[in-house]
């Protein structure tokens, strides 16, 4: 057996979490960067300690990170955002690498929201992009996060254009129908990834 490293991404509200869950149900090891990003700034963690030293106003009275406050600090301050990334990103990468090393052979799926915004995608053997219509994404996120439309649109504008991302992906899952259509397309993609894994094993 072998491992096939897969990068899974998609814009906010695209449905990548649903795809990741379906992959996990089929047996893939799913490593979610958003989950790890929360873990590395959990209360009493080294990451949160470094954040508290720089931005004490972003720490809640109970000692947890005040995420809305942190978001306000870094949203319009590129230097602050770079400082925050320097604290969190190396820890997330190290945690992801440890989870991957401990995982059994098979598909190792890293869920990374900003996969195509930088060069991280080049480090994966296969990449999967989930795309959904803009309006559907906006409606979904408003309902999920109880937020305002303008806030969702700003977050979407800060992410890579889906059509540019499409040119970098090995597989594209179109989420423009109902849940059953998404499930079928996700399973077809998973089966194709399994064939790639088998081909890798045969060539080893």
């Amino acid at each position: 057996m072998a491992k096939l490293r897969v990068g899974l991404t998609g814009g906010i509200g695209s449905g990548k979490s649903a795809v990741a869950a379906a992959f996990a149900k089929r047996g893939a090891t799913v490593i979610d960067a958003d989950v790890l990003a929360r873990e590395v700034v959990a209360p009493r963690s080294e990451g949160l300690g470094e954040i508290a030293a720089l931005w004490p106003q972003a720490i809640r009275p109970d000692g947890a990170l005040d995420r809305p406050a942190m978001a306000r600090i870094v949203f319009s301050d590129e230097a602050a955002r770079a400082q925050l990334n320097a604290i969190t990103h190396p820890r997330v990468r190290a945690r992801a690498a440890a989870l991957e090393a401990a995982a059994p052979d098979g598909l190792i799926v890293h869920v990374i929201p900003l996969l195509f915004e930088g060069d991280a995608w080049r480090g994966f053997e296969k990449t999967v992009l989930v795309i959904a219509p803009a309006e559907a994404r906006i409606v979904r996120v408003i309902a999920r996060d109880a937020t305002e439309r303008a806030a969702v649109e700003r977050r979407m504008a800060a992410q890579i254009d889906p059509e540019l991302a499409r040119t970098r992906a090995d597989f594209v899952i179109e989420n423009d129908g109902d849940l059953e259509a998404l499930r079928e397309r996700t399973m077809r993609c998973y089966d194709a990834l399994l064939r790639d894994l088998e081909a890798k094993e045969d060539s080893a």
Side-chain angles (χ1 to χ4, degrees), residues 63-132:
L65 178 65
D66 186 333
R67 294 184 179 279
M70 190 76 254
R72 288 192 295 272
I73 291 168
V74 303
F75 181 75
S76 58
D77 186 337
E78 190 171 331
R81 189 160 59 250
Q83 284 181 293
L84 178 63
N85 289 343
I87 293 170
T88 60
H89 287 186
R91 289 179 167 87
V92 169
R93 286 194 294 268
R95 180 70 178 135
L99 289 172
E100 180 177 320
D105 285 349
L107 298 183
I108 312 296
V109 180
H110 291 260
V111 185
I112 304 176
L114 303 181
L115 179 65
F116 290 128
E117 274 73 357
D119 288 330
W121 61 280
R122 299 182 187 277
F124 290 94
E125 294 167 283
K126 296 294 175 180
T127 55
V128 179
L129 171 68
V130 185
I131 287 184

Side-chain angles (χ1 to χ4, degrees), residues 140-192:
R140 193 176 296 142
V141 176
I142 289 174
R144 183 190 71 194
D145 296 349
T147 189
E148 297 178 351
R149 183 184 185 92
V152 181
E153 290 176 338
R154 284 196 300 271
R155 291 171 68 183
M156 288 173 61
Q159 296 182 332
I160 191 171
D161 183 288
E163 293 308 310
L164 175 57
R166 186 192 292 272
T167 67
R168 299 177 179 176
D170 294 304
F171 299 95
V172 177
I173 297 175
E174 303 277 359
N175 185 13
D176 56 1
D178 59 18
L179 285 175
E180 181 58 25
L182 177 61
R183 191 195 71 80
E184 290 178 0
R185 293 166 182 174
T186 299
M187 291 302 96
R188 285 201 296 270
C189 178
Y190 192 89
D191 289 339

Side-chain angles (χ1 to χ4, degrees), residues 14 25 41 59 63 83 123 127:
S14 62
K25 193 172 182 179
V41 294
I59 306 301
Q83 284 181 293
T127 55

